[in-house]
Amino acid sequence: MKRTALFVVGWALFQGVYADTLWLSETPPPKRSAENVQLAQPLMEHDHAQHQPMLQTVSSVQATSATAAAGVKKHKHGGGAEVDADGEVVADNTHSGKKQVWMRGGDDPRGAKHLSGVQGTLTLLSQEGALPSVALAEDKGLSTAKLDLPDLGFYNAYWMQNMDHGGMLHVQVAKAELLHGTCCSKGVDDEEVAKPIINVKAPLELVREHYPDEGLFTRIVSGDKVNFTVFSFGLPVAGAKVTMISHKGWQNTQTSDADGRVSFIMIRDYYPSWLEFKKRFKQSYLMTADLQVPSQVTLDGVTYKSAYYNSTLAGSYYPSPHDYRSYAWGLGIGLFVIVFGGLAVYLYRRRRLKPYQEARIDDKA
Amino acid sequence: MTKLESIRTAVNNVQFNRFRFWLQMFFFVLLVYGGFFAIELGKHLPTFACGYNKELRGGMCYLMTLQHQLEWPWQKLFSVAGLTVLTSVGIFFLWFIALNKGWCGFVCPVGTIQDWITSLRRWTGIRYSRYSWGQFQWLMQIKYVLLALMLLIPLGIGGGWFNNDLKSPFCMICPGRTIIPMFGADFSQLSIDFSSKVNMTMTVLGLSVTGLFFIGAFVKKRFFCFYCPMGALHYLFSKPALLRLKKEGSKCTRCGDCFRVCDQEIKIIADDVTRKEIMTDDCIMCLKCVAACPEPGALKATFAGIPIFESTEEGFIKRMKKGHTDVK
């Protein structure tokens, strides 16, 4: 009883200190002018057992100001998503095998800061197994990693950090599910390459359940029901708190069931005026999962009194075709043309029809 | 009679309409449902194997690939990457030279659908329409205008002149986009896209053309082929093609049977007795003219110079006895 109370107090204190959510994002910092660049500010310091990243936020602007100033135009298939001045993704790089991910901090998928000074390596898993790890590096003042996805299919990238808070183990897992996709390759067994990947070494992991017919160009759209399973060391785990945060910050929290599953409906939170509507508007969502383990835990040969696992997974979704497509209008226009076109042909033919006229020639005349 | 001669006689006497119907059916299944049989013939086919038929198609129309490639930013298009475009043209050319415009007459799924609509009209007993000579002369230019727009608009997108929503402009108005996916139970192309003014305009245009396609194909044989930019593109590449249509003017009596059965109303096939290479830009190489010709050797189809099907009196009579209904 005393031990549980201590754990709760410790965890509450810890939450107060370490509130920022760390996640891996494919969305690059927005392009803005160089005047907006801010200096890096220290965010937090911790007594870390293994890795001791010194996290700093940098206004996301800094990173690409040089690129923007140089006027470099990124192409949508060129290996990096294209983001406008407001940070909205205007072209993604699904087709590319070259990806770049950034460390971000905060639970706002739109406004979360791109971080600097984050250390560590990204573990990269494919369907076939582990690929060489990639170290986070500072690029234009931001912590980022460039990844090569050799074959078509899904890949998982993990950044993990273990911390010891007075005998309590805290593991942060930031995961990104990356897709080297294609709309057009027919030589690929979509079902096979679209299978989700599970990391048996991750203390806590969120896995998005792929749709039964999910291929390499499937997009989640608002209105879809998306299922996730929470795994701990490769096994589904019940009782984990899972929160989904939509593009504009709408949140919903659920607790994983006995199979580790949670379900969310991707709500529509994109309401621009018609002239500003973009059907390929890429919206981000952020998933977080928290699991407290009040009992003794041993990790990498070290025993801890308790543990707190936190995992994040970011993804994207698009406006639903139901928002901008109309079958009624389509069929109506098609039928209108058929009916009036048919009528026009009929009347044209009828107008050209010459009535029968018998010509009699009087030989005697 | 040698074995070769007997084979040749059998081919020349073939019930051509029936043969063509089943060949068209075979190619239709191959291109529209080929994916179901794990068949993939690539993205450079010189025929309307629609790319919007995502799951089931057995290959893809080259016009879609070409438009996509021409939409590349100029910096990329006019760099080493541009070699990809040339490679694609080369692959298209290799496919094309095998059958020449026979791709239109025998393989094209959109052409096959038009032939089915013609059969429906014939069954109802409604007569078909023909263009006047003046209309023919004027309308035959449209396919070149469409071809030019199909090339220039994507180039303009790459150069930043046009909105990206205009991409694949011909696909957006092609009836293949709206009709062929329906054979795979995909009706998504029958909707109007209101996401932008350009998308709305293009989808309205596409469904209007689809409506016109059904009306036109009902009253006019191979209605859409007359305006098809793929046909115009074919003609630009047709000189070295292996399958050819030839005419021996000295054997022609100008009876006009070939003109009467011609779905494309090509007058020159009957009138011109001097030219050996009789194929024109409007020809779809359906070879119905050869089947309808009563004069031995006046019209023939050759493959790499070897006659494979030619007009014979015997073949003509056999086909007439079976009821040659094409003129209806």
Side-chain angles (χ1 to χ4, degrees), chain B residues 15-291:
Chain B
Q15 288 304 327
F16 186 75
N17 281 347
R18 196 186 301 161
F19 166 75
R20 185 163 167 263
F21 172 83
W22 286 111
L23 197 59
Q24 283 182 296
M25 188 64 91
F26 166 76
F27 281 119
F28 188 87
V29 172
L30 181 76
L31 296 179
V32 177
Y33 296 106
F36 190 71
F37 306 106
I39 293 167
E40 171 55 80
L41 300 176
K43 301 171 193 168
H44 305 90
L45 296 182
T47 194
F48 284 170
C50 186
Y52 286 86
N53 180 24
K54 291 187 182 76
E55 303 299 327
L56 292 175
R57 65 167 190 257
M60 204 168 100
C61 171
Y62 174 63
L63 294 190
M64 193 175 193
T65 307
L66 178 65
Q67 290 173 96
H68 272 306
Q69 290 177 333
L70 294 181
E71 285 156 14
W72 289 349
W74 285 5
Q75 204 178 0
K76 182 181 177 187
L77 186 66
F78 299 112
S79 68
V80 183
L83 290 174
T84 316
V85 182
L86 295 179
T87 311
S88 295
V89 174
I91 299 168
F92 163 80
F93 177 72
L94 289 176
W95 276 112
F96 172 73
I97 57 165
L99 288 182
N100 200 352
K101 279 178 158 257
W103 283 100
C104 305
F106 290 87
V107 186
C108 180
V110 174
T112 302
I113 291 167
Q114 290 178 89
D115 287 342
W116 293 344
I117 296 171
T118 294
S119 300
L120 179 70
R121 181 206 32 90
R122 193 182 293 142
W123 177 73
T124 59
I126 296 170
R127 68 186 168 88
Y128 67 92
S129 298
R130 292 185 86 106
Y131 296 130
S132 68
W133 180 238
Q135 289 168 334
F136 183 92
Q137 293 281 74
W138 183 75
L139 294 171
M140 69 182 292
Q141 312 297 330
I142 291 177
K143 58 180 168 295
Y144 291 104
V145 175
L146 288 176
L147 178 64
L149 289 173
M150 192 197 77
L151 300 175
L152 292 174
I153 292 173
L155 278 171
I157 293 170
W161 296 345
F162 297 127
N163 190 315
N164 202 41
D165 285 343
L166 260 179
K167 66 178 190 176
S168 307
F170 177 68
C171 292
M172 292 310 291
I173 61 163
C174 176
R177 175 182 67 88
T178 47
I179 296 168
I180 291 178
M182 286 200 281
F183 286 89
D186 176 3
F187 300 94
S188 61
Q189 301 301 324
L190 294 178
S191 57
I192 300 294
D193 184 340
F194 285 100
S195 63
S196 71
K197 281 188 267 187
V198 174
N199 282 330
M200 188 184 74
T201 308
M202 294 307 281
T203 45
V204 165
L205 208 54
L207 280 159
S208 303
V209 171
T210 303
L212 286 175
F213 171 86
F214 281 112
I215 289 291
F218 192 75
V219 294
K220 171 82 184 70
K221 291 187 276 184
R222 287 289 185 129
F223 166 77
F224 187 73
C225 301
F226 200 56
Y227 311 106
C228 177
M230 178 70 95
L233 188 66
H234 280 180
Y235 192 62
L236 301 178
F237 287 90
S238 65
K239 274 263 186 275
L242 298 173
L243 184 67
R244 310 190 76 84
L245 180 63
K246 293 188 174 173
K247 181 173 178 179
E248 195 68 62
S250 59
K251 294 174 181 171
C252 175
T253 58
R254 298 181 70 177
C255 66
D257 275 4
C258 49
F259 171 61
R260 274 187 287 275
V261 297
C262 181
D263 291 349
Q264 296 291 90
E265 301 177 33
I266 300 166
K267 218 164 168 232
I268 204 172
I269 187 86
D271 288 354
D272 196 332
V273 288
T274 54
R275 214 161 58 161
K276 277 198 182 307
E277 300 285 345
I278 203 69
M279 194 194 81
T280 67
D281 53 352
D282 294 308
C283 179
I284 56 169
M285 264 201 159
C286 60
L287 305 184
K288 282 162 84 171
C289 51
V290 181

Side-chain angles (χ1 to χ4, degrees), chain A residues 31-86:
Chain A
K31 294 174 180 176
R32 281 190 196 141
S33 62
E35 291 86 53
N36 292 335
V37 174
Q38 294 171 7
L39 291 175
Q41 296 294 326
L43 177 69
M44 56 189 135
E45 289 182 31
H46 269 282
D47 175 22
H48 297 158
Q50 293 179 15
H51 308 289
Q52 296 192 348
M54 169 83 165
L55 304 179
Q56 294 175 314
T57 56
V58 172
S59 170
S60 10
V61 211
Q62 189 179 8
T64 46
S65 57
T67 313
V72 176
K73 190 180 175 185
K74 282 184 179 174
H75 186 253
K76 59 184 175 181
H77 300 315
E82 197 177 320
V83 179
D84 68 11
D86 299 321

Side-chain angles (χ1 to χ4, degrees), chain A residues 3 7 167 292-298 303-309:
Chain A
R3 196 172 159 173
F7 171 79
Q292 298 165 40
V293 185
S295 54
Q296 223 174 43
V297 168
T298 303
T303 303
Y304 302 88
K305 286 183 284 184
S306 59
Y308 168 66
Y309 301 138

